[in-house]
Amino acid sequence: KFFERRFIIGPRGDRYLDNFFEAYWNLYILMTTANSPDVGLPAFKAENAFFFFFAPFSIITTFILMNILLAVVYKHYRLHLLQEVRVDIAISQHNLQRAFQLLKD
């Protein structure tokens, strides 16, 4: 709705962010900073006040939401790694016990 009242033309010559799914996808691209200029520049060209929308959005998503996502991924990675290390230690201990048992016999 924010961009719908303004007839902003996107980089491909079509209307810019005219439906929810296109807006969602473009803001996702902006959040991942994959192609940020293509998302924000058409709005900046139409009106400089869009800076007050895109700048806080970029700051919040880049420094807060992406850090939360990274923390969740790292937590699950660490748990998986811990489980893998425990299995490796158990296998090593079992192999050492078998080796000493063979030497004993």
Side-chain angles (χ1 to χ4, degrees), residues 9 12 41 50 52 58 62-63 68 80-81 97 100:
I9 304 299
R12 294 182 303 259
L41 282 180
F50 282 115
F52 296 110
S58 295
T62 301
F63 295 113
I68 291 171
H80 177 71
L81 183 65
Q97 286 176 355
F100 280 113

Side-chain angles (χ1 to χ4, degrees), residues 11 16-17 25-27 29-30 35-43 54:
Y16 179 68
L17 301 178
W25 179 252
N26 282 318
L27 290 177
I29 290 171
L30 181 65
N35 204 1
S36 298
D38 287 345
V39 176
L41 282 180
F54 285 109

Side-chain angles (χ1 to χ4, degrees), residues 45-84:
K45 286 179 184 176
E47 189 174 334
N48 290 338
F50 282 115
F51 172 79
F52 296 110
F53 172 74
F54 285 109
F57 179 83
S58 295
I59 291 169
I60 289 169
T61 56
T62 301
F63 295 113
I64 297 174
L65 293 179
M66 292 302 274
N67 284 335
I68 291 171
L69 178 66
L70 178 64
V72 169
V73 169
Y74 177 71
K75 177 184 174 185
H76 288 287
Y77 167 76
R78 199 176 73 196
L79 290 174
H80 177 71
L81 183 65
L82 180 64
Q83 180 182 5
E84 199 170 298

